[in-house]
């Protein structure tokens, strides 16, 4: 079964073809137009998706040696995300499915992240999955393809958003996660004890807005601000606070929902300290940690095709009335993006 995946939910335009578990070809372009604005500009992003999408589709078909009529299904991210961006992908997928007479499968973007470590493997159900990206920080129990329960989420900023906002206030550019990760390697994580919000509460939720404010308050007019290594120390201390919180919630989740596998996915799952600490946690608790390859941590179409393939096998299709939803939820019903028509 050859499934085309399309991902346009934010600022990455991505197309991939998966043949069962094998990636035949993939393309992902992170739009550069947003850098100068230090954040994603929705209108610019949808226009770029429109320009990039079909040329990328031709490239993946060329590389895989297939023609459009060799495809058995089209999977597309239907939400959550920026609605104008989602609509570009959903409209293209609907047109292709209709013209080729093949199934259309609407995929929830978070569901796609949750399976991004299992592109060529069967997901080890049940497992715990933490999605940490620029738009999301959520922890799920994933019992089956269509049985996913939200255990906790952020009350305010997403983890990646906190990285990006702190990078911006430190003058490190956008997106800031990679740069903070890099600077933190030379810094002292014990330089400042930034707050670990909600630590004392019996919850699997997180909150990062106070942390971001604490960093701003600390660096504003700080007498050491010009010192060599100051920014590296702040980066290391901030990163330690974020990672401590994420590790604490995963540790609590393992206690409450015993499983033998966990996964951490989304753009922030590329963070070297988070990966290292999750490995330590997993080996200490006797669970297996599944991390996506770094290129499948960020938004990509391979993970969308991956979920599409499993939904297709399960007999799930979307109708041509499939819409885009900015706030599509993924709670106890992974198939919500798709209407069953067969
Ligand atoms: O999943 P993603 O590509 O896009 C969505 O938000 O859906 O995630 C992007 C986020 C950005 O906030 C970026 O700063 C963060 O992932 N990120 C990182 C690292 N690489 C990317 N955060 C921390 N450490 C990194 N190495
Ligand atoms: Zn994402």
């Amino acid at each position: 079964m050859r499934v085309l995946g399309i991902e346009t939910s934010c600022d990455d335009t991505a197309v991939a073809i998966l043949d069962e578990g094998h990636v035949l070809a993939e393309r992902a372009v992170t739009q550069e137009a947003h850098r100068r604005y230090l954040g994603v500009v929705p209108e610019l992003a949808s226009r770029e998706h429109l320009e990039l999408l079909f040329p990328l589709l031709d490239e993946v078909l060329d590389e895989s040696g297939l023609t459009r009529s060799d495809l058995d299904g089209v999977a597309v991210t239907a939400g959550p995300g920026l609605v104008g961006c989602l609509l570009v992908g959903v409209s293209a997928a609907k047109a292709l499915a209709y013209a080729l007479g093949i199934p259309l499968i609407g995929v929830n973007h978070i569901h796609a992240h949750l399976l991004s470590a299992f592109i060529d493997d069967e997901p080890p159900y049940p497992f715990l999955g933490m999605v940490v990206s620029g738009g999301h920080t959520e922890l799920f129990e994933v019992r089956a393809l269509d049985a996913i329960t939200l255990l906790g989420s952020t009350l305010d900023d997403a983890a990646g958003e906190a990285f990006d906002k702190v990078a911006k206030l430190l003058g490190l550019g956008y997106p800031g996660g990679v740069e903070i990760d890099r600077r933190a390697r030379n810094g002292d994580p014990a330089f400042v004890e930034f707050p670990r919000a909600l630590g004392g509460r019996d919850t699997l939720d997180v909150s990062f807005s106070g942390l971001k404010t604490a960093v701003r308050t600390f660096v504003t007019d700080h007498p050491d601000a010009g010192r060599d290594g100051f920014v590296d120390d702040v980066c290391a201390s901030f990163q330690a606070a974020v990672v401590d919180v994420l590790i604490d919630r995963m540790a609590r989740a393992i206690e409450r929902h015993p499983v033998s596998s966990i996964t951490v996915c989304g753009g922030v799952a590329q963070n070297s300290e988070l990966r290292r600490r999750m490995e330590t946690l997993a080996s200490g608790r006797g669970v297996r940690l599944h991390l996506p390859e770094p290129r499948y941590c960020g938004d990509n179409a391979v993970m969308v095709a991956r979920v599409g393939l499993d939904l297709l096998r399960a007999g799930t299709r979307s109708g041509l009335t499939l819409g885009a939803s900015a706030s599509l939820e993924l709670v106890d019903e992974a198939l919500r993006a798709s209407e069953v028509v067969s």
Side-chain angles (χ1 to χ4, degrees), residues 330-341:
L330 180 58
V331 182
D332 250 338
E333 159 104 83
L335 307 185
R336 188 167 294 187
S338 295
E339 305 163 20
V340 178
V341 294

Side-chain angles (χ1 to χ4, degrees), residues 7 9-12 30 109-110 113 131-136 158-165 167 174-182 185 238-239 265-274 296-300 303:
E7 160 61 43
S9 66
C10 191
D11 61 338
D12 294 284
T30 298
H109 182 77
I110 301 303
H113 274 301
V131 184
V132 271
S133 72
H136 294 273
E161 191 181 354
F163 270 95
D164 294 339
K165 286 178 174 170
Y174 171 87
V178 187
E179 190 56 17
I180 290 186
D181 190 350
R182 199 180 66 76
R185 279 176 213 158
F238 159 76
Q239 181 174 276
C265 48
V268 181
Q270 291 167 92
N271 185 270
S272 54
E273 183 65 4
L274 181 62
Y296 297 143
C297 287
D299 291 345
N300 67 87
M303 66 183 190

Side-chain angles (χ1 to χ4, degrees), residues 246-329:
L246 297 177
I247 293 290
D248 175 78
R249 299 312 184 272
M250 183 61 99
R252 285 184 196 183
I254 295 170
E255 269 161 36
R256 290 187 197 178
H257 305 271
V259 285
S260 48
S261 286
I262 60 172
T263 184
V264 183
C265 48
V268 181
Q270 291 167 92
N271 185 270
S272 54
E273 183 65 4
L274 181 62
R275 291 174 88 92
R276 190 184 68 74
R277 298 267 315 272
M278 280 287 172
E279 292 282 4
T280 309
L281 173 73
S283 60
R285 301 294 169 107
V287 301
R288 189 144 176 238
L289 172 66
H290 302 261
L291 291 170
E293 286 178 39
R295 73 177 192 284
Y296 297 143
C297 287
D299 291 345
N300 67 87
V302 172
M303 66 183 190
V304 177
R306 176 71 187 86
V307 174
L309 182 67
D310 278 2
L311 289 173
L312 200 57
R313 284 178 180 146
T316 304
R317 315 272 186 278
S318 300
L320 286 174
T321 52
L322 177 73
S325 163
S327 56
L328 193 66
E329 283 188 16

